[in-house]
């Protein structure tokens, strides 16, 4: 994940609309260093888990669709995680590779028991087809085979996913530089690690390589904590709930500065507490704070990546 770290740091050094405030980081670290908040994976109790390959298939489908809920104000991540779980409990072949290649928009809606079109529904369906097709072509139809071929390396897993599945190639070009985020690929590795508690399909010797997942919730939490500072123009765009285009400087800076800030927080926290802290752990804490705050104003970008 070095390319994610390095390219995000480059954006943070050259940014025009978002700044990472080191005194803000110090304040947060001072507050939490004595007892570092630990949030348990699936604290909500919404995910499917059977300790086997079907869970891996579920998590891969989940993270294929884990983006852009906000255009429908009643829809959120929980609906997706729970809806897919219910679908699998009703029919354990619902995510077989051949079935994934055939879903239509209305069928996906029905699967999730959502009464109206999903945001970016056509893209969601296209990505499911892509995943079904490539799983069948290269991994005997099973996401578990994909995971098994990574030799307990999260870095290898992310790179294999981005090589095989174009829909996971989450990157941007910023001021002429290529910037990598790989949000859904990284969160898949982290979901495996969390669900299987670091064992079996969730065992990764390099889980510390994973960065935070640059979504639309964590940047807003970091801003509230005083870790990120926005230009007045950017702040008013977000307050007005106006859209920010995918690939704009503003959007790339919000995501990259969040990655950079969490890396800095992690480094400082490790020094001050004397314990190794993982970016995935900080991410889950920050995300859970964000989704429990109904008044949180986040940036709005139509994107298939987060
Ligand atoms: N950084 C980060 N972003 C995350 C997650 C998760 C869920 N992780 C699960 C794993 C274990 C836990 O028990 C969680 O349930 C979703 N998201 C992102 O949030 C947004 C959805 O927001 P809203 O519309 O309000 O539901 C959307 O971009 C989605 O991609 C995370 O962990 N970290």
């Amino acid at each position: 994940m070095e390319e994610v770290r390095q390219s995000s740091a480059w954006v943070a050094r050259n940014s025009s609309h978002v700044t990472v405030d080191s005194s803000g980081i110090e304040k947060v670290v001072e507050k939490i260093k004595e007892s570092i908040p630990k949030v348990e994976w699936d604290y909500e109790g919404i995910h499917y888990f059977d300790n086997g390959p079907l869970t891996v298939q579920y998590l891969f489908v989940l993270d294929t669709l884990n983006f852009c809920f906000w255009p429908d104000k009643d829809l959120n991540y929980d609906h997706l995680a729970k809806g897919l779980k219910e679908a699998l409990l009703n029919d354990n072949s619902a995510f077989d590779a051949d079935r994934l290649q055939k879903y239509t928009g209305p069928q996906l809606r029905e699967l999730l028991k959502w009464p109206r079109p999903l945001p970016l529904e056509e893209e969601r369906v296209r990505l499911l087809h892509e995943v079904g097709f490539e799983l069948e072509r290269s991994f005997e139809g099973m996401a578990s085979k994909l995971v098994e071929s990574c030799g307990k390396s999260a870095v290898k897993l992310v790179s294999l996913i981005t090589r095989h599945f174009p829909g996971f190639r989450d990157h941007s070009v910023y001021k002429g530089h290529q910037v990598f985020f790989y949000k859904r690929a990284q969160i898949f590795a982290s979901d495996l690690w969390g669900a299987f508690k670091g064992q079996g399909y969730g065992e990764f010797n390099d889980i510390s390589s994973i960065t935070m997942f640059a979504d639309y919730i964590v940047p807003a939490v970091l801003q509230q904590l005083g870790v990120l500072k926005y230009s007045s123009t950017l702040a008013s765009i977000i307050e007005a709930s106006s859209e920010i285009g995918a690939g704009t400087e503003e959007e790339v800076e919000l995501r990259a500065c969040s990655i950079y800030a969490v890396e800095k927080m992690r480094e400082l926290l490790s020094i001050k507490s004397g314990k190794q802290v993982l970016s995935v752990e900080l991410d889950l804490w920050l995300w859970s704070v964000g989704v429990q705050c109904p008044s949180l104003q986040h940036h709005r970008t139509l994107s298939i990546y987060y």
Side-chain angles (χ1 to χ4, degrees), residues 44-106:
E44 318 97 312
I46 55 176
H47 298 92
Y48 177 86
F49 186 72
D50 67 2
N51 206 22
L54 197 53
T55 300
V56 181
Q57 196 86 354
Y58 164 81
L59 292 174
F60 198 48
V61 171
L62 174 68
D63 286 324
T64 297
L65 302 175
N66 184 0
F67 59 88
C68 206
F69 304 98
W70 60 265
D72 186 327
K73 68 174 177 36
D74 299 318
L75 181 72
N76 60 38
Y77 171 81
D78 288 25
H79 294 111
L80 177 69
K82 271 194 237 166
L84 296 177
K85 176 184 177 178
E86 286 303 313
L88 205 50
L89 291 173
N90 286 332
D91 172 2
N92 65 9
S93 62
F95 302 152
D96 285 4
D98 57 330
R99 301 272 301 276
L100 293 177
Q101 293 173 65
K102 292 194 198 113
Y103 280 107
T104 62

Side-chain angles (χ1 to χ4, degrees), residues 69-284:
F69 304 98
W70 60 265
D72 186 327
K73 68 174 177 36
D74 299 318
L75 181 72
N76 60 38
Y77 171 81
D78 288 25
H79 294 111
L80 177 69
K82 271 194 237 166
L84 296 177
K85 176 184 177 178
E86 286 303 313
L88 205 50
L89 291 173
N90 286 332
D91 172 2
N92 65 9
S93 62
F95 302 152
D96 285 4
D98 57 330
R99 301 272 301 276
L100 293 177
Q101 293 173 65
K102 292 194 198 113
Y103 280 107
T104 62
Q107 285 169 343
L108 179 60
R109 244 180 268 166
E110 201 184 305
L111 199 75
L112 298 174
K113 302 210 167 55
W114 199 248
R116 44 185 181 275
L118 297 157
L120 304 178
E121 188 173 270
E122 275 181 37
E123 283 298 280
R124 291 190 141 86
V125 165
R126 185 184 65 78
L127 291 165
L128 275 186
H129 294 180
E130 178 181 287
V131 160
F133 177 81
E134 189 54 20
L135 280 179
E136 189 167 280
R137 194 175 73 100
S138 302
F139 302 100
E140 298 166 51
M142 288 182 276
S144 56
K145 296 280 171 197
L146 165 76
V147 177
E148 281 163 10
S149 64
C150 292
K152 301 184 180 154
S153 165
V155 172
K156 271 202 196 140
L157 179 59
V158 171
S159 106
L160 199 66
I161 291 174
T162 54
R163 241 182 290 152
H164 280 270
F165 304 92
F168 282 85
R169 290 178 197 156
D170 175 11
H171 74 127
S172 230
V173 178
Y174 172 84
K175 298 183 180 176
H177 285 240
Q178 190 172 15
V179 183
F180 303 91
F181 300 104
Y182 294 152
K183 187 250 169 194
R184 291 193 287 103
Q186 292 203 75
I187 209 169
F188 173 58
S190 157
D191 284 343
L192 289 165
W193 182 73
F196 289 90
K197 299 197 182 333
Q199 305 291 315
Y201 291 113
E203 186 179 353
F204 297 111
N205 300 321
D206 54 359
I207 194 70
S208 63
S209 305
I210 298 285
T211 68
M212 63 73 74
F213 318 115
D215 69 337
Y216 49 84
I217 300 290
V218 176
V221 176
L222 292 172
Q223 192 254 348
Q224 278 204 341
L225 290 172
V227 167
L228 294 185
K229 297 268 152 70
Y230 299 167
S231 69
S232 55
T233 325
L234 176 57
S236 42
I237 291 172
I238 294 174
E239 269 161 41
S241 300
S242 303
E243 258 183 52
I244 296 178
T248 57
E249 282 186 6
E250 287 85 345
E251 192 233 4
V252 175
E253 290 181 14
L254 284 161
R255 301 186 75 203
C257 290
S258 297
I259 293 176
Y260 180 74
V262 170
E263 288 308 304
K264 292 284 144 199
M265 268 170 77
R266 182 182 59 76
E267 282 166 21
L268 192 62
L269 204 51
S270 296
I271 294 169
K272 298 248 172 168
S273 70
K275 293 184 196 132
Q276 198 206 21
V277 183
L278 301 172
S279 297
V280 284
E281 295 171 324
L282 288 179
D283 176 272
L284 189 51

Side-chain angles (χ1 to χ4, degrees), residues 12-25:
R13 283 197 301 275
N14 292 278
S15 67
S16 312
H17 314 273
V18 180
T19 6
V20 178
D21 186 324
S22 46
S23 68
I25 292 180

